[in-house]
């Protein structure tokens, strides 16, 4: 997995270097954000080199977005920083950037990003004592998505987070249905995009769900899919 992350980071960095003209600033910024997003997937704690490198890529991308007033990718970037900080256990940074995401997205009516900010915030506070609070954030995210158009990707991501919380609250039938809805979207044809990381995550969650309900054959199949991805 780490090797694939490294390959993705290198590819995004190469794209950013090729986008050397001033007319390519948006492409350069998006590529740098892509490098940070790839690094985020390998972040385990605050001492991780992936965390430090990712924050550096995000900072450079943010400078570009600010210089060209690209507020939509900037809102997406804030959410990526918050998510990376959650992975690292950096609560101060995650809180700061969740708020920046929500403030900008609310002001500019970027409803898919606003919804995902609440969805990821729900996962970040998920614990046995805060399961219902987490679900309230999921419900708020779903309300924001009702105001969005062409938000299938965001809805599918929301379903993963919702299924995760339903699994945590031991609502296994709901978790199974929700996660299968998410898998259905990610398995569909999306112009050659395969979403392997998302499908692996869902397979892992379905493995746990079916294992807990005693569906040993299904759980073994989901685990095999997880390993293949």
């Amino acid at each position: 997995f780490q090797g694939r992350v490294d390959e993705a980071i290198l590819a995004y960095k190469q794209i950013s270097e090729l986008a050397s003209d001033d007319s390519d600033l948006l492409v350069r910024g998006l590529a740098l954000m892509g490098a940070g997003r790839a690094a985020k997937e390998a972040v385990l704690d605050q001492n991780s080199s992936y965390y430090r490198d990712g924050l550096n890529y995000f900072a450079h991308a943010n400078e570009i977005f600010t210089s060209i007033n690209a507020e939509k990718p900037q809102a997406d970037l804030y959410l990526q920083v918050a998510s990376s900080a959650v992975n690292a256990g950096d609560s101060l940074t995650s809180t700061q950037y969740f708020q920046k995401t929500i403030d900008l997205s609310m002001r500019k009516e970027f409803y898919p990003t606003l919804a995902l900010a609440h969805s990821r915030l729900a996962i970040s506070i998920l614990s046995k004592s805060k399961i219902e609070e987490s679900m309230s954030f999921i419900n708020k995210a779903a309300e924001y998505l009702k105001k969005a158009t062409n938000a299938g990707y965001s809805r599918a991501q929301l379903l993963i987070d919702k299924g995760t919380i339903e699994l945590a609250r031991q609502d296994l039938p709901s978790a199974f249905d929700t996660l299968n809805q998410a898998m259905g979207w990610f398995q569909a044809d999306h112009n050659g995009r395969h979403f392997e990381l998302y499908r692996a995550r869902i397979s892992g969650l379905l493995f746990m769900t079916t294992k807990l309900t005693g569906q040993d054959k299904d759980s073994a199949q989901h685990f095999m899919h997880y390993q293949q991805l």
Side-chain angles (χ1 to χ4, degrees), residues 1 4 7-8 33 52 54-55 61 82 134 141 144 147 208 216:
F1 174 75
R4 295 172 70 180
E7 288 177 7
M33 182 168 71
R52 294 192 300 272
L55 291 181
S134 295
Y144 284 126
K147 302 178 181 182
M208 289 187 285
D216 292 340

Side-chain angles (χ1 to χ4, degrees), residues 5 8-9 34-43 48-51 53-55 57-58 84 87:
V5 167
I9 292 172
R37 189 173 64 245
K40 177 196 70 178
E41 300 301 332
V43 171
S48 167
S49 62
Y50 287 104
Y51 185 48
D53 291 345
L55 291 181
Y57 298 137
F58 288 138
S84 184
N87 291 350

